[in-house]
Amino acid sequence: MSSSFAIEVRNVFKSFKTVRAVRGVDLTILPGQFVALLGPNGAGKTTLVEMIEGIQKPDRGEIRILGMPWKGHQKELRQIIGLSLQETRYIEKLTAWETLRLFGSFFGLGIERVEEVLQLVGLEEKRKAFTINLSGGQRQRLALGIALINHPRILLLDEPTTGLDPNARREIWEILRDLRKSSDISMILTTHYMEEAQQLCEQIVIIDEGRILREGTLDQLLGEDPSLKNLDDLFTSLTGRWLHD
Amino acid sequence: MIDRIRNNQLGQLTLANILEKVREPGVLFWGIGFPILMAIGLGLAFTRKPEILRYVALIAADTGSYSIILKDDKLGNTTFRLEKMPWEEAMVQLKRGHVNVAVTAEDSGYRYHFDPLNPDAQLTYMKLSPVLNRISPSELQHQPAGSEGERPEYEEDLSATTGVEVDALTVTGTRYIDFLIPGMIAMGVMFSCLWGLGYGIIDTRSKKLLRRMIATPMKRSNYLVAMITVRFGMNVIEAALLFLFAWLAFGITIQGNIPALLVLFLAGNIAFSGIGIFLACHTSKTEIGNAFINVISMPMMVLSGIFFSYHNFPDWAIPIIKPLPLTMLADGIRSIFIEGAGFAQTAVLSLIMTVTGIVFFTVGLKLFKWH
Ligand SMILES: Nc1ncnc2c1ncn2[C@@H]1O[C@H](COP(=O)(O)OP(=O)(O)OP(=O)(O)O)[C@@H](O)[C@H]1O
Ligand SMILES: [Mg+2]
């Protein structure tokens, strides 16, 4: 069964002791597609994405990336996936350049690629700054740079702009938009911000309490009910709660 | 080919590890500065001083002080400064450790008050009482007390009065500092491995950096190998610097077999690296790591004879103390440093420590939580 999907998630479940974090998710993503997972705190976004990343194992269900399940394909998949975790603190007293150099070496890549990535994420001027001294936005751009260092075909970003001001957020959006134009990379990003989902992704998946509530393009999602002005309204109408405060 | 080497995971992991360490001033201080400062402090505190001054409380209503000097060209002079004070004040000074003996002068003789379990107080009592016995209480009480800095009222030459011959030993290896330095080298290895490796791994895990790294093609073994080699390298440097200092400042030398010492040192590193990996295998909370390290290291610090011989502990405790890794390492290094031991005496210790390390490492790796 060769696959035309970049990512396939079939009936996936995951629980932690008493918490049922992901309760039967089906999701397919086509090559070149950008998909947003939109949901409130505790919806199960991180758990779902980390299962796709092969960091966590589903209790039940199947996950394939470019047709390959994680079992038996660790090596290939690690080479083609780029990711950023919701929260990673890098080695404090290593510079941005050295951090990229270190992660580059994991893929057998050299300093040429480090330079390219620094430029790509706009951190050339901060190359000599220790990661501890980077601002929140710069740190997120470094995380994005690390995610992109291996020319990934699949990009998985967990809340890449949370905590950033609108400008810093827009800078990251620009980088991602350029990437989309210039490559056939597929991406899942998780977010609390409907604006981010609208700006970057054609496919939007609304997730809450471990289940997918709705998915589709922005027009499809809002078209259901003429009284809905935006995704926040939709979320509220679906759950009676607010997406974020 | 050159690129293959320069872009090598293990090489870059090692480099990152080194950079992280040398850029952290605290690491250099705790690893190198602190042991040396401690050696200076303890070395000076317990090295024989030419003049020893001991304060003794003399219970009296008025104030003032007498000095009694015991001359002794072999053991060094001892000055007893008898300070007059009321009983309550004497108790306060006893608690503070300013004096360790209080004396009341009665017409019938002197009465000494001190804690018999305190060897230092016993020594004061034993040295002071023969001298005081030759001074009658009334004489002492009715002498006008000199103020501080005045000439002493009593002087006695111990070398002349006792018929016993004392030979001060100056053979190297019998001083306190000779005992201390090997223990401090062993302790340095323990702390370095527990904090540097154990805590370092937990910290990386708590930052989610470990999780991020294993989501790449990084080989897990490379991460651990880099951590352990850098740690070992630092331990070698720390131990070498401490020894160099001890050699320059206190003239400490290694009497025994140096290859045996190196093997023993390596074995100690294996033991504590294994323990470090083991304690770090599961938790991602640095507070828990902190507690683990204290629970492991504090008992050994006290029991393993780093600062004083464990033969002060009751006999039944010795068989428990001896197999502790820190005891084995400290005893081993000490035997090579000061007893001139070689492989014959230390091979078993080295072997046991190596096996200990491998066992802890293997179990730790089995339980290791990468994310
Ligand atoms: N390792 C874990 N152990 C126990 N419970 C967990 C664990 N990871 C996640 N959970 C629980 O699973 C649920 C989903 O968590 P998850 O982190 O996936 O949510 P999220 O959508 O990413 O939320 P946020 O927007 O806050 O990042 C939450 O209730 C969370 O408490
Ligand atoms: Mg999350």
Side-chain angles (χ1 to χ4, degrees):
Chain A
M1 189 194 92
S2 124
S3 145
S4 50
F5 293 116
I7 300 171
E8 285 174 81
V9 176
R10 302 282 181 208
N11 198 28
V12 160
F13 287 80
K14 176 81 179 174
S15 300
F16 302 100
K17 292 191 187 107
T18 57
V19 184
R20 292 161 67 209
V22 173
R23 318 179 191 179
V25 165
D26 283 276
L27 185 65
T28 51
I29 288 155
L30 296 168
Q33 214 174 17
F34 274 29
V35 175
L37 286 185
L38 187 64
N41 289 127
K45 304 183 294 295
T46 297
T47 308
L48 178 57
V49 169
E50 289 194 351
M51 286 190 288
I52 298 171
E53 287 161 349
I55 294 177
Q56 300 197 41
K57 275 204 182 67
D59 296 338
R60 193 136 64 83
E62 215 185 336
I63 292 174
R64 284 170 186 270
I65 292 161
L66 298 174
M68 291 177 275
W70 273 100
K71 198 162 186 271
H73 297 273
Q74 288 265 354
K75 264 210 166 116
E76 298 102 301
L77 289 176
R78 293 262 169 257
Q79 290 287 350
I80 56 167
I81 289 180
L83 61 95
S84 74
L85 301 176
Q86 185 166 349
E87 186 203 344
T88 305
R89 282 171 290 144
Y90 295 93
I91 300 176
E92 294 178 358
K93 293 287 172 73
L94 227 49
T95 66
W97 189 89
E98 288 160 351
T99 305
L100 286 168
R101 177 89 176 96
L102 176 64
F103 276 88
S105 78
F106 297 160
F107 297 92
L109 296 165
I111 51 178
E112 304 78 18
R113 184 58 188 157
V114 172
E115 293 300 330
E116 283 172 22
V117 168
L118 272 177
Q119 199 171 4
L120 184 66
V121 297
L123 281 178
E124 297 109 309
E125 287 180 3
K126 288 289 167 187
R127 63 172 67 232
K128 291 210 173 94
F130 289 149
T131 63
I132 182 89
N133 296 332
L134 295 176
S135 73
Q138 290 160 350
R139 225 170 282 177
Q140 295 280 43
R141 274 186 277 154
L142 176 63
L144 182 58
I146 294 171
L148 294 173
I149 199 161
N150 57 325
H151 300 283
R153 294 178 61 192
I154 307 284
L155 186 60
L156 302 158
L157 305 177
D158 199 355
E159 302 196 15
T161 67
T162 296
L164 302 190
D165 67 32
N167 269 326
R169 187 170 296 156
R170 229 162 273 135
E171 282 168 3
I172 290 197
W173 292 351
E174 281 312 314
I175 299 168
L176 292 174
R177 270 200 215 103
D178 288 348
L179 197 69
R180 183 179 189 180
K181 270 182 243 149
S182 62
S183 69
D184 66 345
I185 193 167
S186 315
M187 179 183 79
I188 296 182
L189 79 77
T190 73
T191 182
H192 299 263
Y193 305 111
M194 64 145 209
E195 193 193 356
E196 183 158 285
Q198 277 168 229
Q199 290 276 334
L200 289 174
C201 303
E202 61 263 39
Q203 191 78 8
I204 295 168
V205 177
I206 298 181
I207 174 168
D208 189 29
E209 293 182 341
R211 288 197 197 88
I212 292 178
L213 297 184
R214 285 285 192 286
E215 61 184 306
T217 62
L218 185 65
D219 292 340
Q220 286 170 346
L221 292 175
L222 295 184
E224 297 171 2
D225 180 343
S227 72
L228 300 174
K229 282 192 286 298
N230 57 37
L231 290 174
D232 284 338
D233 286 352
L234 174 61
F235 185 79
T236 309
S237 82
L238 289 172
T239 66
R241 287 178 289 125
W242 298 100
L243 193 51
H244 57 86
D245 20 71
Chain B
M1 184 62 199
I2 294 289
D3 268 3
R4 284 254 321 263
I5 295 168
R6 295 208 358 237
N7 302 340
N8 173 276
Q9 289 186 6
L10 184 56
Q12 289 298 324
L13 276 164
T14 308
L15 179 65
N17 243 298
I18 293 172
L19 291 175
E20 184 187 7
K21 303 285 157 8
V22 299
R23 285 171 183 169
E24 204 58 73
V27 172
L28 298 180
F29 174 74
W30 289 110
I32 295 164
F34 184 68
I36 289 180
L37 285 178
M38 216 154 140
I40 296 177
L42 291 170
L44 291 182
F46 291 95
T47 303
R48 187 172 64 89
K49 290 176 222 122
E51 297 284 339
I52 298 168
L53 182 60
R54 286 169 184 272
Y55 291 93
V56 175
L58 179 63
I59 308 304
D62 56 342
T63 57
S65 66
Y66 305 96
S67 288
I68 295 178
I69 296 183
L70 271 184
K71 282 213 177 248
D72 191 326
D73 50 0
K74 295 257 172 58
L75 297 177
N77 298 342
T78 308
T79 302
F80 294 98
R81 177 154 299 150
L82 274 60
E83 296 186 336
K84 285 182 159 185
M85 57 183 84
W87 177 257
E88 295 74 26
E89 175 65 12
M91 290 303 110
V92 172
Q93 296 300 338
L94 264 174
K95 286 174 190 159
R96 287 185 187 159
H98 177 65
V99 303
N100 52 27
V101 173
V103 180
T104 42
E106 293 160 4
D107 290 340
S108 52
Y110 296 101
R111 193 179 281 274
Y112 298 85
H113 313 268
F114 63 92
D115 174 7
L117 295 179
N118 177 347
D120 209 39
Q122 274 198 22
L123 187 63
T124 306
Y125 157 71
M126 286 167 72
K127 281 186 129 182
L128 179 63
S129 55
V131 190
L132 277 188
N133 281 345
R134 283 187 286 278
I135 307 166
S136 82
S138 57
E139 188 185 339
L140 189 67
Q141 272 177 327
H142 297 120
Q143 277 272 345
S147 59
E148 259 195 87
E150 256 178 52
R151 277 185 54 76
E153 286 87 7
Y154 301 98
E155 210 173 289
E156 178 135 354
D157 196 335
L158 197 68
S159 353
T161 52
T162 56
V164 187
E165 277 299 314
V166 175
D167 269 329
L169 282 179
T170 48
V171 188
T172 43
T174 57
R175 301 165 304 170
Y176 179 63
I177 192 81
D178 298 303
F179 177 86
L180 180 66
I181 293 293
M184 294 210 33
I185 291 176
M187 188 179 75
V189 171
M190 175 179 77
F191 276 123
S192 174
C193 288
L194 297 188
W195 285 107
L197 261 183
Y199 193 86
I201 290 172
I202 295 171
D203 186 49
T204 311
R205 193 185 284 118
S206 81
K207 287 165 146 174
K208 302 216 179 156
L209 182 55
L210 199 53
R211 176 181 273 251
R212 180 65 191 87
M213 289 199 291
I214 56 117
T216 70
M218 181 192 79
K219 278 176 73 180
R220 298 169 182 202
S221 58
N222 281 343
Y223 171 76
L224 291 177
V225 169
M227 288 284 281
I228 293 171
T229 23
V230 170
R231 186 45 54 187
F232 178 65
M234 291 190 53
N235 290 353
V236 170
I237 294 171
E238 287 173 13
L241 286 176
L242 182 59
F243 174 73
L244 183 72
F245 166 80
W247 175 61
L248 293 173
F250 298 102
I252 281 178
T253 52
I254 301 169
Q255 316 272 316
N257 183 301
I258 293 189
L261 178 66
L262 297 179
V263 169
L264 186 77
F265 187 78
L266 179 66
N269 272 273
I270 294 173
F272 284 107
S273 297
I275 295 173
I277 300 276
F278 177 74
L279 82 91
C281 70
H282 208 74
T283 182
S284 52
K285 298 209 173 68
T286 49
E287 300 82 5
I288 292 183
N290 204 319
F292 279 173
I293 292 174
N294 285 330
V295 165
I296 293 169
S297 63
M298 287 307 150
M300 285 202 271
M301 279 272 289
V302 175
L303 296 175
S304 293
I306 300 304
F307 298 104
F308 56 88
S309 168
Y310 53 74
H311 291 290
N312 292 317
F313 288 108
D315 282 345
W316 60 261
I318 304 293
I320 304 169
I321 293 173
K322 278 200 159 182
L324 294 174
L326 187 60
T327 316
M328 286 195 276
L329 185 56
D331 281 358
I333 298 179
R334 214 168 264 147
S335 70
I336 295 177
F337 265 59
I338 60 189
E339 291 162 27
F343 279 110
Q345 293 82 8
T346 59
V348 174
L349 287 179
S350 298
L351 186 69
I352 296 175
M353 284 192 289
T354 307
V355 172
T356 308
I358 292 174
V359 168
F360 274 106
F361 184 79
T362 315
V363 177
L365 216 54
K366 278 254 156 30
L367 302 174
F368 206 90
K369 202 173 136 217
W370 287 94
H371 36 69

